């Protein structure tokens, strides 16, 4: 599959079949995340895969219990992305440049995970709205660790949908910053 086809295939899936996800596929997704670049090779992440049925049920309740993500109850697997400390060089650069390299790095690693999942016919959805304290307790994260994102993983129950995005002319320009007026009245997140 060409890379652009893979990017077009990846979407935020919010409905899953009950089929279990093979451990080999999860391992491949973790390997893709492991190989993601990070500022000063800091690798400030730890991925916790939750596929144990009892833990998964508690995790799903914490993922969907704040009024959002009610669909998450049906996901067969979850991944908690735990934020780890940056190395000294990355932390110094982040402070000096006033840029949160840690969160940028985390986003890259999570997208690597999700792109690999898409190639393996798995669906994913990256979530930032969930009960972080409950998730931390469920996975046994050390006190003070942050979990900025979780990912649902499973076999999609629905077909691929057409992405709705701004035209390339509205989201990019060459040589000078320039924004064209939007021709879309409503954008949907996919």
């Amino acid at each position: 599959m060409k890379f652009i086809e893979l990017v077009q295939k990846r979407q935020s899936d919010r409905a899953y079949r009950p089929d279990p996800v093979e451990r080999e596929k999860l391992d491949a997704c973790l390997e893709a995340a492991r190989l993601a670049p990070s500022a000063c090779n800091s690798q400030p992440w730890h991925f916790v895969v939750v596929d144990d049925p009892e833990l998964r049920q508690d995790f799903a309740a914490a993922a969907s219990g704040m009024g959002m993500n009610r669909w998450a109850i049906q996901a067969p697997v979850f991944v908690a992305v735990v934020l780890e400390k940056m190395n000294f060089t990355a932390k110094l650069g982040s402070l000096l440049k006033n840029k949160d390299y840690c969160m940028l790095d985390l986003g890259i690693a999570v997208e690597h995970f999700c792109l690999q999942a898409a190639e393996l016919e798995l669906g994913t959805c990256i979530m930032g709205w969930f009960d972080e304290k409950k998730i931390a307790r469920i996975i046994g994260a050390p006190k003070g660790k942050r979990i900025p994102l979780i990912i649902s993983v499973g076999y999609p129950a629905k077909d691929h949908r057409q992405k709705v995005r701004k035209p390339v002319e509205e989201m990019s320009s060459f040589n000078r910053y320039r924004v064209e007026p939007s021709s879309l009245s409503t954008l949907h997140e996919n």
Side-chain angles (χ1 to χ4, degrees):
M1 171 182 316
K2 291 183 180 179
F3 181 73
I4 194 67
E5 294 170 335
L6 181 58
V7 171
Q8 289 168 339
K9 182 177 185 175
R10 199 228 59 86
Q11 64 183 12
S12 296
D13 287 297
R14 294 177 180 90
Y16 298 97
R17 299 191 323 244
D19 311 5
V21 177
E22 299 86 346
R23 189 62 67 93
E24 307 81 51
K25 290 186 176 185
L26 295 169
D27 287 341
C29 294
L30 291 169
E31 178 64 6
R34 185 184 76 83
L35 294 173
S38 60
C40 303
N41 201 26
S42 193
Q43 304 170 56
W45 53 69
H46 185 93
F47 286 61
V48 179
V49 178
V50 177
D51 63 354
D52 173 83
E54 200 171 303
L55 280 180
R56 191 215 64 76
Q57 187 174 358
D58 293 341
F59 197 106
S64 63
M66 298 181 74
M68 298 286 285
N69 309 320
R70 292 183 193 272
W71 52 268
I73 297 282
Q74 62 187 301
V77 176
F78 289 96
V79 179
V81 185
V82 182
L83 192 60
E84 297 292 337
K85 289 183 179 177
M86 294 183 283
N87 62 28
F88 176 77
T89 311
K91 189 172 189 168
L92 180 63
S94 190
L95 287 170
L96 291 174
K97 297 309 289 178
N98 192 25
K99 295 180 182 178
D100 195 348
Y101 292 146
C102 212
M103 295 304 279
L104 297 170
D105 295 343
L106 206 77
I108 295 167
V110 166
E111 184 63 359
H112 272 49
F113 182 100
C114 292
L115 286 171
Q116 180 61 68
E119 184 188 45
L120 297 171
E121 304 298 325
L122 294 171
T124 58
C125 187
I126 304 165
M127 295 171 269
W129 187 283
F130 52 89
D131 190 327
E132 186 176 351
K133 287 180 182 177
K134 282 185 183 176
I135 296 288
R137 269 196 311 276
I138 292 164
I139 65 168
K143 191 172 181 89
K145 290 285 185 186
R146 295 297 315 269
I147 304 168
L149 298 172
I150 61 175
I151 310 166
S152 59
V153 185
Y155 288 97
K158 296 181 179 178
D159 291 335
H160 185 267
R161 57 191 181 273
Q162 188 68 29
K163 289 184 186 283
V164 178
R165 298 290 191 269
K166 294 177 184 177
V168 72
E169 304 82 30
E170 289 184 26
M171 54 73 58
S172 64
S173 56
F174 286 86
N175 303 314
R176 297 260 188 238
Y177 180 86
R178 182 176 18 255
V179 177
E180 299 293 326
S182 179
S183 61
L184 296 176
S185 58
T186 306
L187 292 178
H188 301 293
E189 184 180 340
N190 282 328

